[in-house]
Amino acid sequence: MKISATVTLKKDVLDPQGKAVNQTIKNMGFKNVTDVRQGKYFEIEIDEANKEKAKEIIEDICKKLLSNVVIEDYIINYK
Amino acid sequence: MKISATVTLKKDVLDPQGKAVNQTIKNMGFKNVTDVRQGKYFEIEIDEANKEKAKEIIEDICKKLLSNVVIEDYIINYK
């Protein structure tokens, strides 16, 4: 089963990487882009038929490895 | 309007970053994770009411800045 996890900075955490991308986009002439926030994306292949069980495992991995829960949020999606 | 763009390496391009994450997950004891591929995620706020027009602009940005079309794919989603 393929599951994706998207890790993004929480709303009130500054995102200098996103700001830099936003500025570059503006400099390229796309004037109507107002904000960019960047995150990480993981596509995880897991050998587990039970959807709920698989999601639980991925959530565990997100908490322990892929994200810093103090400043980041994660979203899990089935592919 | 909020639009997200996910940039991932094409299927046949080696992903050492994903491999490293996969190995770490295995070392942590999650034995049923078989593959991990990592990508970039962008959340873009755009001042454009027309959905199609907004998507076109984001696609342009993806091609010119956010992705390397030779080795990467991008997916655009409305939020």
Side-chain angles (χ1 to χ4, degrees):
Chain A
M1 179 182 291
K2 219 174 225 179
I3 291 184
S4 75
T6 308
V7 178
T8 50
L9 284 166
K10 282 183 201 277
K11 285 285 155 276
D12 18 306
V13 178
L14 274 180
D15 177 11
Q17 200 178 6
K19 279 271 167 301
V21 173
N22 190 13
Q23 194 52 55
T24 308
I25 290 174
K26 272 185 186 149
N27 293 346
M28 286 169 74
F30 299 99
K31 298 298 182 203
N32 40 9
V33 170
T34 52
D35 194 33
V36 177
R37 287 183 78 81
Q38 189 163 354
K40 290 173 284 182
Y41 174 82
F42 301 91
E43 216 170 79
I44 302 166
E45 182 78 49
I46 183 166
D47 195 11
E48 170 64 62
N50 186 323
K51 250 185 164 184
E52 284 308 309
K53 190 88 188 291
K55 196 180 173 182
E56 244 170 59
I57 294 170
I58 302 295
E59 216 167 313
D60 208 15
I61 292 172
C62 278
K63 273 184 202 150
K64 287 182 181 159
L65 178 73
L66 303 181
S67 78
N68 174 355
V69 287
V70 178
I71 55 164
E72 290 173 324
D73 288 324
Y74 57 85
I75 299 163
I76 295 168
N77 281 310
Y78 302 105
K79 293 282 288 179
Chain B
M1 179 181 292
K2 220 176 225 176
I3 291 185
S4 75
T6 309
V7 179
T8 51
L9 284 166
K10 282 184 201 278
K11 284 287 155 277
D12 19 305
V13 178
L14 275 179
D15 178 10
Q17 198 178 9
K19 281 271 166 301
V21 172
N22 191 12
Q23 194 52 53
T24 308
I25 289 174
K26 273 184 185 150
N27 294 347
M28 285 170 75
F30 299 98
K31 299 298 182 199
N32 41 8
V33 171
T34 52
D35 193 34
V36 178
R37 288 184 76 81
Q38 190 164 354
K40 290 172 285 181
Y41 174 83
F42 301 91
E43 217 170 80
I44 302 165
E45 183 79 46
I46 183 167
D47 195 11
E48 169 66 63
N50 185 324
K51 251 187 166 183
E52 284 309 308
K53 190 88 189 290
K55 198 181 173 183
E56 243 170 61
I57 294 170
I58 302 295
E59 219 169 308
D60 207 15
I61 292 172
C62 279
K63 274 184 200 150
K64 287 183 180 158
L65 178 72
L66 303 181
S67 78
N68 174 354
V69 287
V70 178
I71 56 165
E72 290 172 324
D73 287 324
Y74 57 84
I75 299 163
I76 295 168
N77 280 309
Y78 302 105
K79 293 283 289 181

